[in-house]
Amino acid sequence: MPEHTIDPNQWIHLYSDYLFNYTISRVNDREIAKDLVQDTFVAGLNSMKNFKGQASERTWLISILKRKIIDYYRKINSNKGKAEIRMSYSGDENEGDWLEERVADPYDKTAEDDLENNELGNAIYECLSKLPAKQAEVFKMKTILNYETEAICNELNITASNLWVIVHRARTAMAECMKKNWF
Amino acid sequence: MKKNILFISCEEAKHICDKNQYGEASFWEKFKLGLRLSWCKITRAYTKNNNALTKCIEDSKVDALNQQELDDLKQAFEKQLGNQH
């Protein structure tokens, strides 16, 4: 019996930011990252019958997204020529697909800082996903998107003191969660 | 009871500490927080965790979709979802 179920109605709410953060750290372009996330959701929808429930929905969507990122790099590399794709290979024993490994395996990243930032970003989203929806939304707007207090209050129709109470609860929970998983 | 202008409660200190993470605490608030930090272990522990969280988020360069982008994505996806049914 499958361990995980699939519900595309929840995808945007649950996974958009996680997938977007995953993508933008690999393609460094906001518009392209948005397109790739959208393509991933559509591809996921079209291949729902292939979901076996052995991995979580998020893991399954990430595997689709990785293919999308690979396709994106293939496309831009095919425009530039193939030389760049094989540059990290030195011998016959190391045969494989450099591009695929670069996307699939974060240990192939050239800079250690990038790897750590990606993992840190994942840990933050992991903790954020455990917060109540309202707290997560306010925390994201205030801390990640750097919105002004007034703008958040107007958008969510809450008072400033209400916002700070929510921020306080969210920060306390986030710090606790990050302490367990990261600090 | 008259509110002491120098000494603040632990809750107020935490509130100022939160505001300070976003650069929204005034000089006077920071002064009162500093005073409390000099003797209150609980405020010190909270501030330490709070600062660590801020540093973590800054270091990660974590990004997210804004509301408009999220709405656009939702709209496009719901269209696809509708086509499936």
Side-chain angles (χ1 to χ4, degrees), chain A residues 17-170:
Chain A
D17 285 324
Y18 184 86
L19 297 188
F20 176 74
N21 189 57
Y22 184 96
T23 314
I24 203 160
S25 64
R26 284 161 176 81
V27 300
N28 293 316
D29 185 303
R30 201 170 181 88
E31 291 305 313
I32 291 165
K34 282 193 289 186
D35 288 346
L36 288 169
V37 171
Q38 189 172 331
D39 290 351
T40 300
F41 284 139
V42 173
L45 202 58
N46 292 333
S47 56
M48 268 170 57
K49 59 182 182 302
N50 299 331
F51 181 77
K52 294 185 177 72
Q54 289 160 339
S56 69
E57 253 183 339
R58 194 177 74 179
T59 306
W60 184 71
L61 287 168
I62 283 284
S63 70
I64 297 172
L65 177 59
K66 282 176 182 172
R67 300 301 313 176
K68 294 286 170 197
I69 299 172
I70 290 165
D71 290 344
Y72 161 72
Y73 275 114
R74 273 194 210 288
K75 204 173 160 190
I76 57 171
N77 273 312
S78 68
N79 292 338
K80 285 194 279 180
K82 299 283 184 187
E84 192 183 339
I85 297 180
R86 297 287 172 191
M87 70 188 191
S88 67
Y89 281 68
S90 52
D92 292 337
E93 286 176 17
N94 296 329
E95 273 185 26
D97 190 320
W98 175 85
L99 191 55
E100 188 156 335
E101 286 165 20
R102 185 170 184 264
V103 176
D105 179 9
Y107 292 94
D108 198 36
K109 282 231 167 215
T110 47
E112 270 183 35
D113 282 353
D114 281 353
L115 170 64
E116 192 163 326
N117 289 346
N118 290 344
E119 286 183 352
L120 187 52
N122 292 345
I124 290 166
Y125 271 111
E126 194 68 50
C127 288
L128 200 58
S129 70
K130 290 174 187 162
L131 295 185
K134 189 82 169 180
Q135 283 182 31
E137 189 178 19
V138 171
F139 183 86
K140 184 186 110 173
M141 290 169 93
K142 186 77 189 139
T143 316
I144 300 175
L145 296 171
N146 297 316
Y147 281 16
E148 295 290 331
T149 299
E150 203 184 333
I152 302 172
C153 291
N154 288 340
E155 195 156 328
L156 301 179
N157 202 17
I158 55 175
T159 63
S161 58
N162 203 334
L163 175 136
W164 286 113
V165 169
I166 297 170
V167 166
H168 174 70
R169 287 179 186 157

Side-chain angles (χ1 to χ4, degrees), chain A residues 8-9 17 21 30 34 38 45-46 117 120 124-125 139-140 142-143 147 149 155 164 168 171 183, chain B residues 15 18-19 22 24 46 50 54 56-57 59-60 62-67 69 73 76-77 81 84:
Chain A
N9 292 305
D17 285 324
N21 189 57
R30 201 170 181 88
K34 282 193 289 186
Q38 189 172 331
L45 202 58
N46 292 333
N117 289 346
L120 187 52
I124 290 166
Y125 271 111
F139 183 86
K140 184 186 110 173
K142 186 77 189 139
T143 316
Y147 281 16
T149 299
E155 195 156 328
W164 286 113
H168 174 70
R171 290 193 73 92
F183 295 162
Chain B
H15 172 57
D18 289 335
K19 281 170 75 178
Y22 304 97
E24 292 185 33
Y46 181 79
N50 220 358
T54 297
C56 235
I57 288 161
D59 288 350
S60 73
V62 73
D63 209 338
L65 293 163
N66 63 40
Q67 199 53 50
E69 291 169 328
L73 188 63
F77 184 65
L81 207 56
Q84 291 275 316

